[in-house]
Amino acid sequence: MTGRTTPGQPGWGHLSLDDWRSHGDPGEPEAVQKGECMSNRREFLTQAAVAAAATTVGTRALAAGNGHHPAGQAPGSGNPALPGKPPLAMDLFPPQHHYGAGGTQLGNMFRVTPDDQAEAMLEAAWKSGTRYFDTSPWYGLGLSERRLGHFLDDKPLEEYVLSTKVGRLLMPDASVDELGIWKGNLNFNYRYDYTAAGVRRSLEDSLQRLGVSKIDLVYIHDLAPSNKDLGDDWKQYLDTALKGAMPELTRMREEGIIGGWGMGVNDIEPSLAAIEHADPDVILQATRYTLLNHQDALSRLFPQSRRAEVPLVIGAPLGSGFLAGSNHWMYSTDIPQGYRQQRDRISRIAHEHGTDLRTAALQFTAAPDVVAATIPGARTAEQAKANHQSMQADIPAEFWQTLKSEGLIAESAPTPG
């Protein structure tokens, strides 16, 4: 571990909300407005991050190596790879907000999302109780960040958790209309940069696009073998990140510029590499833990995440819409063989037990105690409300037992309840 406070020591991760308030209101960054020294800006950002996370962001309070659980934390039962929820997960994502909102559709994924529709979706999510919002420069090449920042502009900093990503730098380019799955008149292009200077530049750009004064969590984005842009060179980019981006994000965490950092990837290998060789606070693991595909994450990622006390955020829990009834599976119309049939069988069983496919899919991804939050995307207010309702619904235990008995989910998969 590098330079973090530990239980019982003074430090920003252990200020109470009342203590934080006594240090000043983050809504009035006078030192920043007056152009005072960088240390004052960092102090301001630190205080803002404290309030957003409520307690620790940059610490993991399980005593390393002693097997003790902090007060109020129960050890896991049954599966030795899944003991009690790590404190970071509890502190950043309390049980009543065990899910968040992904920002891909704010970036015109697959089709254009009108501004008023994007605003209505965010408003519905907020009114439903969502307080964790995830975005990225990549989503609509800046559009998702701009829209989310506009929505959060009048929201108290201490009331939400915000994450964005690094790894690509955006460049104005009037020749770019649509780009891949991002639709509309984008007018930006991009280049990869996982160096120390690159991630610092990326965060500066994101703060400007968002128009906010704090970023709680930063994910190193799409540094994975499945990223066709990187191809066989992904390991070279990973080496660059291990020497550049990861140490720099650790420094920025210690400086108080960000609350914490991790990987935001679609493959398990880079997550494992970061856990083994660096000091991440959290991993955003997308596409590898859903109702339809989860065995690899259960076998490889969960035990290592637990050992290192690095909680997970689950991205694409609905398979980019497939588990809510769409024809897209993980950002593509290529549906793996057998997935439609498996989806239909689970859906029928869900209805027989008084629930539905979306609800089962979302609650399944939030069930493991190594998971801090699950972050489905939404395009409309109705979808945001449906996600919230799914997270609040009761699912009978018999439903999960039926899925396991019919071999539709892994026997070892944690389930709600």
Side-chain angles (χ1 to χ4, degrees), residues 242-288:
L242 286 166
K243 296 173 181 176
M246 296 183 196
E248 186 69 4
L249 290 171
T250 296
R251 282 190 289 270
M252 295 177 78
R253 178 185 67 202
E254 293 168 353
E255 292 168 358
I257 294 174
I258 62 174
W261 71 272
M263 303 297 288
V265 289
N266 292 344
D267 299 324
I268 291 176
E269 289 78 8
S271 296
L272 296 177
I275 290 172
E276 181 178 358
H277 299 292
D279 189 23
D281 299 277
V282 62
I283 298 291
L284 196 172
Q285 187 66 58
T287 79
R288 290 298 184 264

Side-chain angles (χ1 to χ4, degrees), residues 73-397:
Q73 301 277 334
S77 58
N79 188 345
L82 298 171
K85 185 188 296 293
L88 176 61
M90 292 297 293
D91 294 333
L92 267 182
F93 310 100
Q96 66 269 32
H97 303 306
H98 200 47
Y99 69 103
T104 53
Q105 294 178 70
L106 295 175
N108 290 354
M109 185 173 72
F110 302 139
R111 65 180 186 272
V112 170
T113 303
D115 288 339
D116 58 349
Q117 188 178 71
E119 185 81 5
M121 184 280 287
L122 289 168
E123 186 64 36
W126 184 275
K127 287 182 177 179
S128 295
T130 300
R131 291 298 183 270
Y132 173 36
F133 297 91
D134 176 70
T135 184
S136 168
W138 178 233
Y139 301 160
L141 283 86
L143 180 60
S144 177
E145 286 189 324
R146 295 197 301 272
R147 283 173 161 171
L148 180 57
H150 178 265
F151 174 76
L152 293 175
D153 181 60
D154 63 347
K155 303 296 185 291
L157 296 175
E158 69 272 18
E159 289 192 15
Y160 64 84
V161 175
L162 170 64
S163 62
T164 191
K165 303 179 180 72
V166 294
R168 294 179 178 92
L169 294 176
L170 303 187
M171 304 165 291
D173 187 341
S175 69
V176 176
D177 185 14
E178 298 180 350
L179 188 64
I181 63 174
W182 312 116
K183 306 305 179 182
N185 298 316
L186 302 177
N187 295 321
F188 278 89
N189 215 319
Y190 68 98
R191 64 179 174 85
Y192 288 97
D193 194 329
Y194 294 103
T195 66
V199 298
R200 193 171 283 261
R201 163 70 184 277
S202 181
L203 280 173
E204 291 172 353
D205 290 350
S206 288
L207 282 165
Q208 293 187 40
R209 279 189 295 268
L210 286 159
V212 299
S213 53
K214 62 110 179 192
I215 294 175
D216 299 293
L217 295 173
V218 177
Y219 298 115
I220 298 173
H221 201 194
D222 282 347
L223 207 177
S226 62
N227 183 349
K228 296 179 180 179
D229 263 3
L230 302 183
D232 293 337
D233 294 333
W234 81 272
K235 289 186 178 179
Q236 296 179 26
Y237 283 97
L238 177 61
D239 185 63
T240 297
L242 286 166
K243 296 173 181 176
M246 296 183 196
E248 186 69 4
L249 290 171
T250 296
R251 282 190 289 270
M252 295 177 78
R253 178 185 67 202
E254 293 168 353
E255 292 168 358
I257 294 174
I258 62 174
W261 71 272
M263 303 297 288
V265 289
N266 292 344
D267 299 324
I268 291 176
E269 289 78 8
S271 296
L272 296 177
I275 290 172
E276 181 178 358
H277 299 292
D279 189 23
D281 299 277
V282 62
I283 298 291
L284 196 172
Q285 187 66 58
T287 79
R288 290 298 184 264
Y289 195 74
T290 76
L291 199 58
L292 299 184
N293 64 321
H294 47 266
Q295 186 60 64
D296 195 23
L298 284 171
S299 300
R300 292 198 295 151
L301 181 60
F302 280 27
Q304 294 305 312
S305 174
R306 179 60 60 190
R307 176 190 59 78
E309 300 162 17
V310 177
L312 305 174
V313 170
I314 302 301
L318 296 174
S320 73
F322 186 72
L323 289 169
S326 84
N327 291 318
H328 285 98
W329 169 256
M330 299 308 179
Y331 320 113
S332 171
T333 54
D334 294 330
I335 312 300
Q337 186 175 1
Y339 273 28
R340 292 184 188 277
Q341 294 84 350
Q342 188 177 350
R343 179 183 67 175
D344 291 346
R345 286 177 65 194
I346 294 175
S347 182
R348 285 195 298 270
I349 295 170
H351 285 293
E352 290 170 3
H353 288 84
T355 188
D356 61 87
L357 182 67
R358 177 204 301 268
T359 297
L362 290 181
Q363 290 202 22
F364 177 82
T365 59
D369 62 356
V370 73
V371 170
T374 187
I375 51 170
R379 189 183 303 276
T380 66
E382 290 72 25
Q383 290 172 351
K385 293 174 185 175
N387 289 342
H388 170 75
Q389 291 166 358
S390 286
M391 292 302 296
Q392 305 302 313
D394 291 325
I395 300 177

